[in-house]
Amino acid sequence: MLDFSSLLLAAALSGTCLSITLLAIWFTTPMARFVLTVACGMLVLVAHVVLFWQYGRDPGPWLCQAVLALLSLGFLIICLSAMQYLGVRHYRSVVLPTVAAMAVCAAVTYFGLDGVGFILTYVAVTALLTVTGVLFWIQGGHDRRILLVVSFLSGTCALSFGLCAAMLVVKGQWVLGVAPDNWAERLNSVVAVACMTGLGALTLSLHHLQAQIELKAETLTDPLTGLMNRRALMSLYGERAFGPFMSVVMFDLDHFKRTNDVFGHPVGDKVLCRFAAVIRKYGRTGVDAFRLGGEEFALVMSRMTEEKAYDFASKIGVAFGAEVVPTPRGPLRSTVSGGIGFGEVGGRSLEDVLAEADRALYAAKNAGRNRVLVLDRASKADGSALRSA
């Protein structure tokens, strides 16, 4: 026969240790706010368990209300931490119903219907845990294995609280006067300890996973423009074979060194960011943009014919020529030159396609800049320069 008090104390000890661990992690990485939220939620649940243990020894109406309020509040905070981690901002859709349920629970408990109060609280907790599990099941986009385990634990814990509510309803225990004690409560205590321990361990895993994702994003992103960098280009396409409907266009801002010398590097940075903004404006599925370094940029285009790729790159060049950057010396217009390299039926390496695009870019600069050229395509190579409205 399981000792109910021992189970409660085990849950409190487990939650306290996990909370301390999570708080220590948050102190070292303050940006991981969801870790702090989980720790706070667990501390509230620890307070609930301690008061519930005391309520079992010396029941009282005010202590009962505190026990039920802390239980709902603790799982509300846990649910909010899941929303925080997953980037779901509709907090009020969870907070308002829970607060309403807590208010009703306090009212019925005040009038002596403590059994009804327990039922309402268990139902609210079941709903919160269900929402948490569903959010991780639907919204999670990283390591599905971890997120599915979180969903499973949340669902299991929700089921155990649902059973507690069902037992009280089936027995018609609308008024208790003491802490409920039945097989469902004992099972819930075991499940709660297991789920609390598992949730803490998975929170550490999610924190580690998020840190890895952020670190990878930093290493693959150009900090000035927000575009991907050369490392990202090699990571995504270094081993790819470029077929006939894939191409790379290399852009180089015209006279960029002179822009820096005359207007200063801050203005030069604005010009680079303005060109990145133009690329984003024309962004579409199948087009990845990269800043290779300095004033050099590249686009990898998939599922495009050679003609469409050329037209797409030319539109970006024309659009950038129409951009005006305000400076202390007056408005500044800049232009860009581009060269395109194409894949082929048998497949070409990124290195070969980049080399072709680089030769075409060199030809564009020699031809007067402010244009996009393609090697061995005389109709385009001999065309007029792009307008810079």
Side-chain angles (χ1 to χ4, degrees):
M1 194 73 174
L2 291 173
D3 181 24
F4 197 25
S5 296
S6 298
L7 289 174
L8 292 176
L9 292 176
L13 180 61
S14 174
T16 301
C17 293
L18 287 171
S19 298
I20 293 173
T21 302
L22 293 174
L23 285 173
I25 292 175
W26 175 75
F27 276 120
T28 60
T29 54
M31 293 302 292
R33 295 189 180 92
F34 86 97
V35 174
L36 174 63
T37 309
V38 173
C40 292
M42 286 191 171
L43 286 175
V44 172
L45 290 176
V46 168
H48 155 76
V49 171
V50 172
L51 291 184
F52 188 76
W53 175 78
Q54 179 62 31
Y55 181 70
R57 295 162 58 91
D58 184 19
W62 293 108
L63 189 56
C64 179
Q65 292 193 15
V67 164
L68 297 180
L70 287 175
L71 182 61
S72 295
L73 180 61
F75 281 105
L76 172 61
I77 296 174
I78 295 294
C79 183
L80 292 177
S81 72
M83 299 175 73
Q84 191 176 20
Y85 176 78
L86 296 170
V88 180
R89 302 303 179 195
H90 305 297
Y91 297 133
R92 288 201 297 180
S93 62
V94 173
V95 172
L96 293 181
T98 304
V99 171
M102 291 171 64
V104 174
C105 176
V108 297
T109 304
Y110 176 79
F111 287 106
L113 299 173
D114 56 338
V116 176
F118 273 97
I119 293 171
L120 290 175
T121 300
Y122 288 153
V123 170
V125 169
T126 300
L128 287 169
L129 286 167
T130 301
V131 169
T132 302
V134 170
L135 284 175
F136 275 109
W137 183 277
I138 297 175
Q139 299 287 339
H142 304 320
D143 192 325
R144 297 295 300 175
R145 292 169 296 179
I146 296 177
L147 300 182
L148 291 179
V149 173
V150 174
S151 295
F152 172 77
L153 290 179
S154 298
T156 302
C157 201
L159 179 61
S160 69
F161 277 103
L163 288 174
C164 291
M167 282 296 299
L168 295 177
V169 172
V170 169
K171 291 185 176 182
Q173 294 179 308
W174 316 121
V175 178
L176 293 170
V178 295
D181 186 8
N182 52 58
W183 67 266
E185 292 286 343
R186 297 171 185 273
L187 175 64
N188 176 258
S189 298
V190 175
V191 171
V193 172
C195 289
M196 189 174 292
T197 304
L199 180 61
L202 290 172
T203 299
L204 298 178
S205 298
L206 290 173
H207 167 65
H208 179 65
L209 176 62
Q210 187 178 55
Q212 283 185 319
I213 293 170
E214 291 174 353
L215 178 60
K216 184 177 181 180
E218 289 177 2
T219 59
L220 299 180
T221 303
D222 173 54
L224 177 63
T225 63
L227 299 178
M228 289 182 284
N229 58 19
R230 186 184 291 271
R231 186 195 296 267
L233 174 63
M234 300 306 298
S235 176
L236 292 174
Y237 294 100
E239 304 298 325
R240 289 279 298 272
F242 282 68
F245 296 102
M246 293 187 68
S247 57
V248 175
V249 53
M250 290 187 64
F251 287 111
D252 191 280
L253 303 190
D254 297 331
H255 304 296
F256 186 71
K257 183 178 183 303
R258 187 171 67 189
T259 298
N260 279 334
D261 292 341
V262 174
F263 296 92
H265 287 279
V267 172
D269 289 346
K270 289 182 181 179
V271 173
L272 292 171
C273 292
R274 187 64 61 89
F275 182 66
V278 170
I279 290 177
R280 289 194 188 91
K281 180 181 178 181
Y282 283 87
R284 51 175 287 184
T285 302
V287 177
D288 290 324
F290 306 85
R291 183 189 176 198
L292 303 183
E295 68 272 28
E296 291 186 339
F297 295 80
L299 292 181
V300 176
M301 298 177 284
S302 305
R303 299 189 295 276
M304 279 195 198
T305 63
E306 294 184 7
E307 191 66 33
K308 286 185 177 181
Y310 174 78
D311 291 340
F312 185 79
S314 298
K315 287 179 180 178
I316 290 177
V318 172
F320 179 63
E323 293 288 320
V324 178
V325 177
T327 75
R329 291 174 173 265
L332 171 64
R333 293 178 184 271
S334 302
T335 59
V336 65
S337 301
I340 308 180
F342 297 97
E344 57 187 30
V345 175
R348 299 181 70 189
S349 67
L350 172 63
E351 182 180 355
D352 290 341
V353 178
L354 279 174
E356 180 185 329
D358 190 54
R359 292 194 299 272
L361 173 61
Y362 184 76
K365 286 189 170 292
N366 286 339
R369 294 184 171 84
N370 189 27
R371 65 191 68 205
V372 176
L373 295 186
V374 179
L375 288 181
D376 300 324
R377 288 161 175 80
S379 61
K380 294 174 182 175
D382 295 338
S384 59
L386 295 173
R387 298 188 305 277
S388 57

